[in-house]
């Protein structure tokens, strides 16, 4: 286990990655988890988010239910993207790029074919925190893992190229829990850059803020909380939007995937639940 005497207090957007690790640790401890993430507990504990510690109080029952919904969405999206990655490598893709990698441990917990290269792109601070925990856990990646310390607002394509990414070969890109923190113009700019680095046959897995999520969470979002930093939602027509960027996409709602995974959502759907927040896309040959 990570040494709790040397905890780091995460801050800003990357602090949310530790919260995600906490949720993944809790799912891993279930009797029949949708996935297993053996490193999640170490990341969460080192960041002061031990799943065994009491959760902070919520303003009211509605707020508690909203945050339970966030935790549930993290579980479902993790399973969704795990499956997408399995399909991508089964199709022959051997380059993986995790944008805003945070505490993602897929390099260590998934089975990768030989010669798979996985690039973790994030700022230096979370990558350094993660490296310290991985050293303590003596974790060994199951593929060639390459960290790329760079801010996504800077020349991350140049940093990725310098780290060895080959745009002439298909890549599977993952942007999990990332785009909701970026303004709409920054989201488009990011995906345009991804498209420029994607050979035909590349794949992409995205999570998008579902319609209405900002309105529902903004009211009681505490300063510095994840919801206080959310700024963008799913476009009205995500498939058409991604088509303009050169991707053939399929979208799914959390409700659809949860039912497919045997975790149906018991509440009736909301009126604003139409657009899918989970996206699987393939680079079109055009």
């Amino acid at each position: 286990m990570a040494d709790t005497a040397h905890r780091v207090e995460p801050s800003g957007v990357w602090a949310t990655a530790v919260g995600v690790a906490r949720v993944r640790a809790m799912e891993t401890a279930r009797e029949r988890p949708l996935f297993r993430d053996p490193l999640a507990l170490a990341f969460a504990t080192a960041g002061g988010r031990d799943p065994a510690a009491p959760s902070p109080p919520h303003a009211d029952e509605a707020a508690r239910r909203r945050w339970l919904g966030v935790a549930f969405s993290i579980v479902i999206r993790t399973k969704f993207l795990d499956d997408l990655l399995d399909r991508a490598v089964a199709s022959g893709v051997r380059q993986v790029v995790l944008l805003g990698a945070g505490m993602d441990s897929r390099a260590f917990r998934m089975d990768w074919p030989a010669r798979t290269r996985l690039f973790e792109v994030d700022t230096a601070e979370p990558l350094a925190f993660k490296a310290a925990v991985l050293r303590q856990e003596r974790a060994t990646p199951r593929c060639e893992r390459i960290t790329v310390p760079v801010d996504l607002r800077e020349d991350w394509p140049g940093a990725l190229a310098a780290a060895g990414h080959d745009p002439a070969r298909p890549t599977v890109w993952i942007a999990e829990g990332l785009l909701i923190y970026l303004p709409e113009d920054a989201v488009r700019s990011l995906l345009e850059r991804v498209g420029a680095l994607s050979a035909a046959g590349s794949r992409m897995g995205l999570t998008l803020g579902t319609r209405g999520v900002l309105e529902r969470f903004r009211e009681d979002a505490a300063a510095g909380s994840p919801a206080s930093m959310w700024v963008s939602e799913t476009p009205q027509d995500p498939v058409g939007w991604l088509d303009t960027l050169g991707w053939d996409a399929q979208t799914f709602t959390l409700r659809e995937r949860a039912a497919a995974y045997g975790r149906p959502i018991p509440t009736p759907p909301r009126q604003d639940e139409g657009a899918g927040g989970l996206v699987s896309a393939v680079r079109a040959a055009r």
Side-chain angles (χ1 to χ4, degrees):
M1 281 299 302
D3 184 354
T4 57
H6 299 285
R7 287 179 177 168
V8 171
E9 188 61 38
S11 60
V13 173
W14 85 264
T16 66
V18 177
V20 170
R22 181 177 187 266
V23 173
R24 288 178 174 156
M26 294 169 70
E27 175 66 17
T28 299
R30 288 175 64 109
E31 185 176 348
R32 293 185 180 85
L34 291 183
F35 57 85
R36 295 185 185 278
D37 187 344
L39 289 168
L41 180 59
F43 291 138
T45 302
R49 297 295 302 275
D50 187 341
S55 297
H58 296 287
D60 53 33
E61 178 62 17
R64 187 186 74 85
R65 288 182 177 275
R66 283 194 291 272
W67 284 111
L68 287 175
V70 170
F72 185 80
S73 72
I74 290 169
V75 171
I76 299 303
R77 82 188 194 197
T78 300
K79 168 65 173 169
F80 174 80
L81 294 173
D82 283 359
D83 290 351
L84 184 150
L85 285 164
D86 282 338
R87 291 193 300 272
V89 296
S91 75
V93 178
R94 295 293 180 269
Q95 287 188 131
V96 180
V97 178
L98 308 179
L99 296 168
M103 299 303 109
D104 192 299
S105 70
R106 289 184 172 99
F108 301 85
R109 67 177 178 81
M110 294 184 68
D111 293 324
W112 300 101
R115 298 184 299 281
T116 298
R117 308 185 85 198
L118 185 148
F119 299 86
E120 295 189 8
V121 182
D122 211 329
T123 54
E125 190 176 9
L127 287 177
F129 167 84
K130 187 174 186 177
V133 175
L134 292 173
R135 284 193 298 271
Q136 287 187 167
E137 297 299 303
R138 299 181 180 178
T140 302
R142 298 182 177 184
C143 59
E144 183 182 358
R145 173 179 176 261
I146 303 165
T147 57
V148 186
V150 65
D151 194 307
L152 289 171
R153 296 170 294 186
E154 299 171 359
D155 181 22
W156 65 264
L160 188 60
H165 176 260
D166 182 357
R169 297 172 54 210
T171 302
V172 54
W173 304 83
I174 300 294
E176 179 177 5
L178 170 66
L179 302 186
I180 197 170
Y181 293 100
L182 304 177
E184 291 181 11
D185 58 341
V187 171
R188 186 173 185 92
S189 175
L190 178 75
L191 295 184
E192 286 174 347
R193 288 174 145 189
V194 167
L197 299 175
S198 298
S202 292
R203 312 239 177 159
M204 184 167 62
L206 307 176
T207 62
L208 302 170
T210 53
R211 304 298 300 179
V213 69
L214 299 186
E215 180 181 350
R216 293 199 298 275
F217 280 81
R218 186 177 285 128
E219 182 178 341
D220 60 3
S225 68
S228 71
M229 296 180 275
W230 293 349
V231 294
S232 68
E233 296 181 321
T234 301
Q236 289 287 355
D237 177 16
V239 171
W241 170 64
L242 285 166
D243 181 69
T244 68
L245 294 169
W247 296 89
D248 293 332
Q250 289 182 289
T251 64
F252 307 87
T253 65
L254 286 168
R255 186 176 296 275
E256 290 167 344
R257 288 296 85 201
Y261 302 149
R263 297 274 185 91
I265 300 173
T267 57
R270 300 175 59 96
Q271 289 185 343
D272 56 12
E273 244 180 59
L278 301 172
V279 179
S280 171
V282 178
R283 188 67 175 168
R286 300 179 180 178

